[in-house]
Amino acid sequence: MKALLIDDEQPNLENLQALLAAYCPQVEVSGTALNAETATNRLHVLQPDLVFLDIQMPQQNGFDWLRSLPAYDFAVIFVTAYDQFAIQALRFAAVDYLLKPVAIDELQAAVERARQQRQLKAQNQLLQNLMHFLKAGQPPEEPRIALATAKETRFVKTGEIIRCESSNNYTTFYLVDGEALLVCKPIFGYDELLKDYGFVRCHQSHLVNKQFIRSWKKEFGDFLVLTNGSEVPISRAKKEELKKALRLS
């Protein structure tokens, strides 16, 4: 894959280029850019398959640069220092990112995912979903979350998710239309991601959208009864936390 590296600090570019040369032989660095204007010119000339993009850049940051482009004919791996809003946006969109300083194993894994996404031609949709999340400059009231199943990447509004249930490293999303989507990611990542959108953790294996809770059943144990008729167990460890979330105490 031909790659373009974009970062406003030359040492960062040199370090990333050295890591790619040493540990990612499937990537050929075709060019680098220190700012958005140069990046646009290099993008048109080089037509890379993969772009490593710094988010925090002066004048025009990485997100603004992407917004300025008419189309996304490449995969993107963001390289950034920690920023809560940026990381939340990237996780909702299921777009790969690397935190500085870049770890070798994470770099290799991100490059491999980019190669696979390139083959599936899924990256355009992922970036479009990221732009949807970012278009107002703040998290939308009901964002779409990218859920990667074995067959496709689905974009689902948070309000369409009734509950999530984990099984080892897999999470099943149950939707309002009765569909169930199996995603190869553990539930704890979605717990953090969805907590600001009305979701509560009632059990180690269960995450529930509060708007679909019909009642709290206290017969033969504690259960949440949902509007679709399903019953979800409440663990002892989560009981007090759940009461606070539902304003029952």
Side-chain angles (χ1 to χ4, degrees):
M1 291 184 292
K2 293 191 301 180
L4 171 64
L5 315 186
I6 306 170
D7 195 301
D8 65 316
E9 296 184 18
Q10 184 65 35
N12 289 341
L13 289 174
E14 294 173 357
N15 179 62
L16 181 56
Q17 191 163 1
L19 290 175
L20 289 168
Y23 300 104
C24 300
Q26 68 272 52
V27 175
E28 173 193 345
V29 177
S30 299
T32 64
L34 286 165
N35 55 59
E37 183 179 358
T38 303
T40 301
N41 293 333
R42 298 269 162 85
L43 185 72
H44 292 317
V45 172
L46 301 174
Q47 296 185 343
D49 305 301
L50 175 60
V51 172
F52 288 86
L53 179 60
D54 184 26
I55 296 177
Q56 292 89 358
M57 296 190 295
Q59 297 178 338
Q60 192 176 37
N61 67 33
F63 290 152
D64 292 335
W65 179 71
L66 279 177
R67 286 194 192 97
S68 72
L69 302 178
Y72 311 120
D73 300 323
F74 48 86
V76 172
I77 298 174
F78 290 89
V79 186
T80 182
Y82 181 79
D83 176 272
Q84 187 173 5
F85 172 65
I87 298 303
Q88 184 187 41
L90 298 174
R91 286 176 177 172
F92 261 100
V95 177
D96 254 313
Y97 65 92
L98 301 169
L99 292 176
K100 297 177 181 178
V102 175
I104 294 169
D105 58 339
E106 294 178 0
L107 173 63
Q108 292 174 318
V111 166
E112 176 57 23
R113 284 191 293 268
R115 185 190 66 80
Q116 293 172 358
Q117 289 169 355
R118 202 54 196 152
Q119 290 178 338
L120 295 172
K121 298 182 179 179
Q123 188 66 27
N124 268 353
Q125 294 177 343
L126 298 181
L127 288 178
Q128 287 168 5
N129 194 48
L130 175 63
M131 293 299 102
H132 175 77
F133 188 98
L134 295 168
K135 67 180 180 181
Q138 59 184 1
E141 291 184 4
E142 190 182 5
R144 297 189 308 168
I145 185 170
L147 301 176
T149 71
K151 296 181 179 180
E152 61 181 347
T153 298
R154 289 280 298 276
F155 301 99
V156 179
K157 291 182 178 179
T158 55
E160 297 173 345
I161 303 168
I162 296 176
R163 66 184 182 95
C164 311
E165 182 176 353
S166 73
S167 176
N168 297 321
N169 288 324
Y170 292 86
T171 301
T172 302
F173 286 75
Y174 295 91
L175 309 183
V176 291
D177 62 2
E179 190 174 8
L181 301 177
L182 180 64
V183 177
C184 184
K185 282 188 179 180
I187 199 170
F188 67 82
Y190 295 112
D191 185 5
E192 177 189 354
L193 199 60
L194 294 171
K195 65 181 180 181
D196 293 333
Y197 298 93
F199 285 76
V200 291
R201 190 81 170 268
C202 61
H203 188 278
Q204 182 178 352
S205 301
H206 296 276
L207 185 63
V208 174
N209 190 335
K210 287 193 294 186
Q211 68 173 315
F212 295 108
I213 297 175
R214 189 172 69 192
S215 63
W216 183 318
K217 184 179 178 181
K218 298 181 179 180
E219 183 181 8
F220 307 112
D222 290 277
F223 294 85
L224 291 178
V225 181
L226 307 184
T227 54
N228 67 347
S230 60
E231 295 186 3
V232 180
I234 301 169
S235 68
R236 288 184 179 181
K238 295 292 183 182
K239 187 180 292 188
E240 293 305 316
E241 182 182 336
L242 183 61
K243 286 182 179 178
K244 290 180 181 177
L246 300 178
R247 299 181 180 179
L248 299 176
S249 62

